Amino acid sequence: MHEVEWSPLPPRVLELPEMVGACQARDFGTVFKLAQRAGLYPSRIARLCDMTPSRVSEVIANKRTVTQIGVIERIADGIGIPGAMLGLAARPWEAGRGDATVAAPSATLGQPPGRRSQTPAFELALPMDDEALELKRELARASAAEGTVARLYAMQIDTMRQMDRQMGAATVLPQLEAQIAQMEDLLGYRTAPGGREPMAAALTEAATLAGWQALDLGQYQKAWRLHETAKSAARQSGSAALLAHAMGQQAYVLLDLGEADQAVEQVRFARESAGGGLPPLMETWLFAAEAEAHAVAGHEALCRAGMDRAEAVRPTDPADPALPFLFLGGSHLDRWRGNALATLGADEALEDLTASLASMDMSGFTRAEAGVRCDLAVVLARRGEREEARRQALRAQDLAALTSSVRQRRRIAQVLAGVAA
């Protein structure tokens, strides 16, 4: 088996009163739930702790307990819980806890390298039959999940995408995270060569969407991790377009963190690393995303050039069935240009934004409309039209409330504060 990257729980999670109490009581259902909240999905907990996903799920659901010392040690070593918290001796890896170069635990042992199993042979022998049967069931379940299952997941993701546009991330993200965990399990146990690509593609779309939702909710670390999941799945899918999209969208996390130059480099790398083999619609999106990053960085000439290139390569038919997550038809690209120009402080943004608001069908694009109206408020305030700017900002605030967008509400609050000053 391949090795998995060791992901010990950060100190902030280990120091939570709930985690301390759960460890003292050896309540691993609560321990796993808190680990999941910190970004470790059940499938990853299973791999790190040398357990099956179904067993981890049963523990989380309080349908099964963990009492064997060997399993408890594997959990401590797998997710980095100091021995004292679980009533164990100090773990061999604790002295090097802060070393980022600590090697990954084996996927089969669930322990940091160099540590020999301290579990007596008779303790390991007892559950082996059950463990083997559970593994066989997981492998059989993954084998039975053919391309039709991946297509069903893709249909569900598309439905969640539409719900996200109208209702926002807070409603959809928990459902999507559960779906991601299921797909990770199926992909992780898929053994047939050539049978992984459809599921990997569906997982990429799900994780990319979830990453954007986490960012919209201001959950930066989760957003970054989900995009990493998306990039990994995209590589397994063999789709250069899906990988470029996941990489390019991840750059928005950098933008929100104030790292505009790094964001520019990441989007550019996403486009250039594909070697010119991207669909025109994806090229359009990447050029526009890079232009937006240039706008945030204050590179006006590069921003304008990027938007011109996006317009130049946009296909006549801006709908690509292979890229259902991209919407650049009608006035959507004009809206994007207006956003970039508003960021630069250009008065001409008013024309693009007003035209896009008048001509674009906003039904089903609640978050997009909120963004346009907020951009309009920025431009109008800069022109001294404070009353109209306030009206647009208040309307944007109402729309952002419908989607629970933390990103938009923060920006709108800044605009309203500026108008009131």
Side-chain angles (χ1 to χ4, degrees), residues 111 151 170 189 194 233 311 315 317 327 336 355:
Q111 302 163 340
R151 286 193 292 274
Y189 288 99
E311 185 64 51
D317 182 2
F327 303 93
W336 207 341

CSV table of all heavy atoms in Angstrom, one decimal, residues 111 151 170 189 194 233 311 315 317 327 336 355:
chain,number,residue,atom,x,y,z
A,111,GLN,N,1.6,4.2,11.9
A,111,GLN,CA,2.5,4.6,13.0
A,111,GLN,C,3.6,5.4,12.3
A,111,GLN,O,4.0,5.1,11.1
A,111,GLN,CB,3.1,3.4,13.7
A,111,GLN,CG,2.0,2.5,14.4
A,111,GLN,CD,2.6,1.2,14.7
A,111,GLN,OE1,3.6,0.8,14.2
A,111,GLN,NE2,2.0,0.5,15.6
A,151,ARG,N,-21.7,9.1,-12.3
A,151,ARG,CA,-22.6,10.0,-13.0
A,151,ARG,C,-23.7,10.5,-12.1
A,151,ARG,O,-24.1,11.6,-12.1
A,151,ARG,CB,-23.2,9.3,-14.2
A,151,ARG,CG,-22.2,9.2,-15.4
A,151,ARG,CD,-22.9,8.8,-16.7
A,151,ARG,NE,-23.4,7.5,-16.7
A,151,ARG,CZ,-22.7,6.4,-17.0
A,151,ARG,NH1,-21.4,6.5,-17.3
A,151,ARG,NH2,-23.3,5.2,-17.0
A,170,ALA,N,-23.7,27.9,3.4
A,170,ALA,CA,-24.1,27.3,4.7
A,170,ALA,C,-25.1,26.2,4.6
A,170,ALA,O,-25.1,25.2,5.4
A,170,ALA,CB,-24.6,28.4,5.6
A,189,TYR,N,-10.7,2.6,-2.3
A,189,TYR,CA,-10.8,1.2,-2.4
A,189,TYR,C,-11.0,0.6,-3.8
A,189,TYR,O,-11.3,-0.6,-4.0
A,189,TYR,CB,-11.9,0.7,-1.5
A,189,TYR,CG,-11.6,0.8,0.0
A,189,TYR,CD1,-12.0,1.9,0.7
A,189,TYR,CD2,-10.8,-0.1,0.6
A,189,TYR,CE1,-11.7,2.0,2.1
A,189,TYR,CE2,-10.4,0.0,2.0
A,189,TYR,CZ,-10.9,1.1,2.7
A,189,TYR,OH,-10.6,1.2,4.0
A,194,GLY,N,-8.2,1.7,-14.7
A,194,GLY,CA,-9.0,2.4,-15.6
A,194,GLY,C,-10.4,2.7,-15.1
A,194,GLY,O,-11.2,3.3,-15.8
A,233,ALA,N,-7.4,14.7,-6.7
A,233,ALA,CA,-8.4,13.9,-7.4
A,233,ALA,C,-8.3,14.2,-8.9
A,233,ALA,O,-8.5,13.4,-9.8
A,233,ALA,CB,-9.8,14.2,-6.9
A,311,GLU,N,-11.5,37.8,-23.4
A,311,GLU,CA,-12.6,38.1,-24.4
A,311,GLU,C,-12.2,37.5,-25.7
A,311,GLU,O,-13.1,37.0,-26.5
A,311,GLU,CB,-12.8,39.6,-24.5
A,311,GLU,CG,-13.9,40.0,-25.4
A,311,GLU,CD,-15.3,39.6,-24.9
A,311,GLU,OE1,-15.6,39.8,-23.7
A,311,GLU,OE2,-16.0,38.9,-25.7
A,315,PRO,N,-15.2,31.3,-26.4
A,315,PRO,CA,-15.8,30.6,-27.5
A,315,PRO,C,-17.2,31.3,-27.9
A,315,PRO,O,-17.8,31.9,-27.0
A,315,PRO,CB,-16.0,29.2,-27.1
A,315,PRO,CG,-16.0,29.3,-25.6
A,315,PRO,CD,-15.1,30.4,-25.2
A,317,ASP,N,-19.9,29.8,-28.4
A,317,ASP,CA,-20.9,29.1,-27.5
A,317,ASP,C,-20.2,29.0,-26.2
A,317,ASP,O,-19.4,28.1,-26.0
A,317,ASP,CB,-21.3,27.8,-28.1
A,317,ASP,CG,-22.4,27.1,-27.2
A,317,ASP,OD1,-22.8,27.7,-26.2
A,317,ASP,OD2,-22.8,25.9,-27.6
A,327,PHE,N,-19.6,29.7,-15.9
A,327,PHE,CA,-20.7,30.5,-16.5
A,327,PHE,C,-20.1,31.8,-17.0
A,327,PHE,O,-19.9,32.7,-16.2
A,327,PHE,CB,-21.7,30.7,-15.4
A,327,PHE,CG,-22.3,29.5,-14.8
A,327,PHE,CD1,-21.7,29.0,-13.6
A,327,PHE,CD2,-23.3,28.8,-15.4
A,327,PHE,CE1,-22.2,27.8,-13.1
A,327,PHE,CE2,-23.8,27.6,-14.8
A,327,PHE,CZ,-23.3,27.1,-13.7
A,336,TRP,N,-17.5,40.4,-14.7
A,336,TRP,CA,-16.2,40.1,-14.2
A,336,TRP,C,-15.2,41.3,-14.5
A,336,TRP,O,-14.4,41.7,-13.6
A,336,TRP,CB,-15.6,38.8,-14.8
A,336,TRP,CG,-14.6,38.1,-13.9
A,336,TRP,CD1,-13.9,38.6,-12.9
A,336,TRP,CD2,-14.3,36.7,-14.1
A,336,TRP,NE1,-13.1,37.6,-12.4
A,336,TRP,CE2,-13.3,36.5,-13.1
A,336,TRP,CE3,-14.6,35.7,-14.9
A,336,TRP,CZ2,-12.7,35.2,-12.9
A,336,TRP,CZ3,-14.1,34.5,-14.8
A,336,TRP,CH2,-13.1,34.2,-13.8
A,355,ALA,N,-24.4,47.8,-17.3
A,355,ALA,CA,-24.9,47.0,-18.5
A,355,ALA,C,-25.1,45.5,-18.1
A,355,ALA,O,-26.1,44.9,-18.5
A,355,ALA,CB,-23.9,47.0,-19.6
